[in-house]
Amino acid sequence: MEVNVDWDVLKTILSEPKKTLLFFPYFKEFDGQKVRFEVPRFIFNFGYEFELDVGFGNSEAIYTFRGERGILTVTFKVQNGRLKVTADWAGFGEALMGKPLEIFASGIAEAVQEFCTSLKCPVVKVSEEGGEVTRITPDSAPALLKRLALEFGTSFMVEGTADDGTYLAAKVVNGKLVELRLKQGTRESVISTDVSVVELDEGLFEDLPLDRSFKIKVRELTP
């Protein structure tokens, strides 16, 4: 994957697994240091529970998941502006894990790349009290939601108001955008959707009258 960010920025993203893990393939639950994945195989879901250790080297990060069923090691390495993600599994069902590991590594790389891209969204500031966003456009709206997911987790509501009174709200639950609401004067539009935040692109926003600056408020939601 191409990553147009410095290693220090990528390291900051990877140093907060409680936020990034939620967008990894097969993720089920993260409770403290306990991480649970479910890997569908045939008609069963194999559950794997681990304790996570995070380590960093020279332009490299290693997530080590240790559990009763085995050890899962995920390595992130940046060379010449490219991110390589490797997933290794030693343990239960090892012979059957080739394709799931490929999906796992590829999905992780895509999620990390999207989060790196989101750091370029036009956010002036974001805090618990609120923030300000310059020129939300169909191109920058997906990056904004990914940036907020890094800040607030997988379930949140963001509401924004422009100087001309345009109201825009987005509701994200369990890592998926479930509702977009836009109001201009007496006209109001509501779009229901079910798209993962890391898979958002400009297509969902291209017909909305954006291209404005918004003052925003964000609050976490209970899924």
Side-chain angles (χ1 to χ4, degrees):
M1 292 287 179
E2 297 287 346
V3 288
N4 297 317
V5 294
D6 294 335
W7 165 247
D8 288 342
V9 174
L10 184 58
K11 182 177 179 181
T12 299
I13 293 172
L14 296 175
S15 66
E16 296 195 75
K18 66 180 181 180
K19 294 180 180 178
T20 55
L21 276 176
L22 309 180
F23 295 95
F24 285 12
Y26 308 128
F27 174 83
K28 182 66 176 178
E29 188 178 19
F30 188 21
D31 180 16
Q33 289 299 308
K34 293 287 186 180
V35 184
R36 182 174 176 81
F37 296 101
E38 285 192 356
V39 181
R41 298 298 300 175
F42 306 110
I43 62 174
F44 301 104
N45 279 338
F46 291 154
Y48 298 83
E49 187 172 277
F50 305 95
E51 289 189 0
L52 170 63
D53 292 318
V54 180
F56 294 95
N58 183 22
S59 297
E60 184 179 64
I62 300 175
Y63 282 13
T64 304
F65 301 86
R66 292 184 174 86
E68 293 182 358
R69 293 175 178 239
I71 298 176
L72 172 65
T73 306
V74 181
T75 304
F76 305 82
K77 191 168 184 63
V78 176
Q79 289 181 318
N80 300 320
R82 294 185 64 83
L83 170 67
K84 181 179 181 180
V85 178
T86 304
D88 295 297
W89 170 250
F92 174 79
E94 188 171 341
L96 301 175
M97 291 297 283
K99 190 63 176 179
L101 280 177
E102 181 182 344
I103 294 171
F104 191 61
S106 177
I108 291 172
E110 290 173 3
V112 171
Q113 182 194 43
E114 290 298 327
F115 283 131
C116 289
T117 303
S118 76
L119 296 178
K120 300 178 182 179
C121 74
V123 177
V124 176
K125 60 178 182 178
V126 177
S127 66
E128 293 182 0
E129 292 75 27
E132 185 177 348
V133 185
T134 58
R135 290 192 69 249
I136 293 182
T137 66
D139 289 334
S140 65
L144 172 62
L145 292 177
K146 293 165 190 173
R147 168 74 177 272
L148 294 177
L150 278 177
E151 299 283 344
F152 294 93
T154 56
S155 297
F156 61 89
M157 170 76 81
V158 54
E159 299 174 283
T161 305
D163 289 340
D164 65 356
T166 299
Y167 171 83
L168 177 67
K171 184 177 182 180
V172 174
V173 178
N174 291 328
K176 293 185 177 183
L177 176 64
V178 297
E179 183 181 275
L180 272 175
R181 187 178 297 270
L182 181 75
K183 186 175 183 181
Q184 287 184 305
T186 59
R187 297 178 58 186
E188 184 173 17
S189 301
V190 179
I191 301 173
S192 296
T193 182
D194 187 39
V195 182
S196 171
V197 167
V198 296
E199 296 175 356
L200 287 174
D201 59 27
E202 66 274 9
L204 189 63
F205 304 90
E206 59 186 4
D207 294 328
L208 299 180
L210 300 176
D211 200 10
R212 292 166 169 79
S213 296
F214 286 85
K215 291 183 178 179
I216 65 172
K217 291 185 177 181
V218 188
R219 67 178 188 275
E220 294 185 43
L221 300 176
T222 301

